Amino acid sequence: MHPSANRVYAEASLALTVAELAVLARTRLEGRIGEATPTWIAGVPYLAFEADPDDGDLALLGDVSTAMALFERSSGAMLPVELPRRDRFDDDLLTILKYQGKTNEVFTKLLLNLTVWSGTEIPGRPLKVLDPMCGRGTTLNQVLMNGWHAFGLDLDERDFDSYAVFLRGWLTAKRLKHSVEVTPVRRDGAKLGRRLHAEVGATKEEWKAGDAITVDYVNADTLHTRAVHKPRSVDAVVTDAPYGVQHGSRSGGRLARSPLDLLREAVPVWAEVLRPGGAMGIAWNTHVADRDDALAVLADAGLEPLDDGPYRGFLHRVDQAIQRDGLLARKPG
Ligand SMILES: C[S@@+](CC[C@H](N)C(=O)[O-])C[C@H]1O[C@@H](n2cnc3c(N)ncnc32)[C@H](O)[C@@H]1O
């Protein structure tokens, strides 16, 4: 396990990764890896499991949010096994931005993994992932890192502006081929908000071939998601919902609605833009409403909550006001 993961989640990181691997085993690896067990070897924490992975399986193991290195244990010796990495860019894409209210990037990757794995597989094209309350873009950056198309909304103007400044600066500093523009978004003649639209070439060759990655962020209320995205147009919806505590309420008035009321209004809208077979993953503070009430909101929107076995393994403490859980659901079809 990556040492930074321990700093972040303290005690929780091992247990969260055990549950993450169990979801992977159940979805993409279909039982081809056994249950993971925390194991200390020469004073270093590892997760140990039985497996006979092929190249595709190794790529998925390389995606695990805390994965640092893989070893095969063979009569007491540890033989390194190369873990393929999906990362398309330098890792400072995920770590440069630091601000109060940022969703931890390891947890963001965990939630993205769980959501993507829980949906049906789409081979042969980059995924389209929407974070409908994306703040300063932690999910957008992880999606971009994976080489997938990232879509976001947030009503906070400062978050939008900070992300726009960051993305322009980072793309320029990295000398990546790109285009960025910010334009007004209108609906029925009225201004809805602003839209940041970027196209990024991970390599010069891909840029030339027209294989750019899209980052698209609309500064508007998430309830307007349907005004800017077509029905069934995204493969996954992943978001860290407001915690109902101080840093979640910096946008003032409209955030006065409780997080559960916000979910009740927003989940049906997000469900519409999700493709059938796609999944939704929401990080949730169980101090503001309990898991069952939040899962009921997902079910009421016609989604199938995933609530058994490893899907119940994601509750962890963030601080004294936040006890965070992961809620997952799939759109039938
Ligand atoms: C927990 S924060 C997400 C932080 C984000 N993952 C990051 O790392 O920057 C929740 C976000 O929900 C946004 N939000 C709350 N109500 C909203 C609404 N009605 N429409 C759009 N965004 C909203 C807040 O502005 C805040 O950025």
Side-chain angles (χ1 to χ4, degrees):
M1 293 202 20
H2 205 282
S4 70
N6 278 331
R7 274 201 306 277
V8 170
Y9 298 125
E11 303 296 297
S13 61
L14 276 167
L16 288 171
T17 306
V18 169
E20 183 181 2
L21 280 163
V23 170
L24 178 59
R26 178 194 275 217
T27 52
R28 295 291 188 262
L29 294 185
E30 285 158 30
R32 291 201 296 286
I33 58 170
E35 197 177 323
T37 320
T39 310
W40 289 76
I41 302 171
V44 176
Y46 292 83
L47 285 171
F49 49 86
E50 301 274 338
D52 185 13
D54 62 20
D55 287 351
D57 296 350
L58 285 176
L60 287 161
L61 289 169
D63 279 339
V64 169
S65 62
T66 56
M68 179 168 163
L70 185 71
F71 297 89
E72 182 182 344
R73 292 182 86 179
S74 168
S75 20
M78 307 254 295
L79 307 172
V81 177
E82 185 162 345
L83 269 184
R85 297 295 181 173
R86 192 187 295 279
D87 297 4
R88 301 299 318 271
F89 302 100
D90 295 346
D91 65 2
D92 60 359
L93 170 61
L94 303 169
T95 53
I96 287 179
L97 275 179
K98 303 222 185 301
Y99 49 93
Q100 200 196 7
K102 176 176 180 176
T103 311
N104 166 262
E105 57 267 11
V106 181
F107 180 75
T108 298
K109 185 168 183 180
L110 167 79
L111 190 66
L112 175 65
N113 284 341
L114 298 175
T115 311
V116 167
W117 296 336
S118 296
T120 51
E121 213 165 351
I122 299 271
R125 65 157 171 84
L127 297 183
K128 295 179 182 174
V129 180
L130 169 70
D131 181 343
M133 298 192 292
C134 64
R136 297 187 192 186
T138 312
T139 310
L140 305 185
N141 289 341
Q142 182 61 56
V143 171
L144 175 61
M145 184 63 132
N146 286 4
W148 300 336
H149 303 299
F151 301 90
L153 286 95
D154 202 289
L155 57 70
D156 191 300
E157 295 197 1
R158 279 175 306 164
D159 282 358
F160 177 86
D161 289 335
S162 305
Y163 186 70
V165 168
F166 161 75
L167 189 66
R168 277 183 204 276
W170 189 84
L171 292 170
T172 306
K174 296 291 170 182
R175 299 170 165 272
L176 290 164
K177 294 277 185 205
H178 67 275
S179 64
V180 183
E181 57 173 11
V182 176
T183 52
V185 187
R186 305 187 154 275
R187 196 181 55 168
D188 305 331
K191 189 177 171 200
L192 203 67
R194 292 174 294 157
R195 181 173 216 147
L196 167 81
H197 187 92
E199 298 283 329
V200 182
T203 63
K204 287 200 178 79
E205 293 68 35
E206 286 174 41
W207 179 261
K208 260 197 205 147
D211 290 334
I213 303 171
T214 297
V215 180
D216 179 287
Y217 181 166
V218 175
N219 182 204
D221 194 300
T222 196
L223 299 180
H224 293 309
T225 300
R226 270 287 290 108
V228 288
H229 292 292
K230 295 197 177 77
R232 300 180 294 281
S233 60
V234 303
D235 300 301
V237 173
V238 181
T239 202
D240 184 17
Y243 291 108
V245 295
Q246 206 191 348
H247 51 70
S249 60
R250 62 195 138 92
S251 306
R254 276 186 284 181
L255 278 186
R257 57 160 106 70
S258 82
L260 196 60
D261 288 343
L262 174 61
L263 272 202
R264 281 200 185 98
E265 287 186 68
V267 168
V269 182
W270 303 338
E272 261 189 78
V273 301
L274 186 60
R275 70 160 166 87
M280 190 180 293
I282 301 174
W284 182 249
N285 180 10
T286 58
H287 286 323
V288 301
D290 68 39
R291 177 180 173 88
D292 289 343
D293 291 343
L295 284 174
V297 171
L298 295 171
D300 288 346
L303 303 173
E304 294 166 353
L306 300 164
D307 188 33
D308 61 332
Y311 286 103
R312 289 176 170 245
F314 297 103
L315 185 67
H316 62 285
R317 182 181 187 277
V318 175
D319 59 34
Q320 59 174 25
I322 302 170
Q323 179 89 8
R324 187 163 54 191
D325 203 353
L327 309 171
L328 274 297
R330 191 185 296 124
K331 181 163 171 174

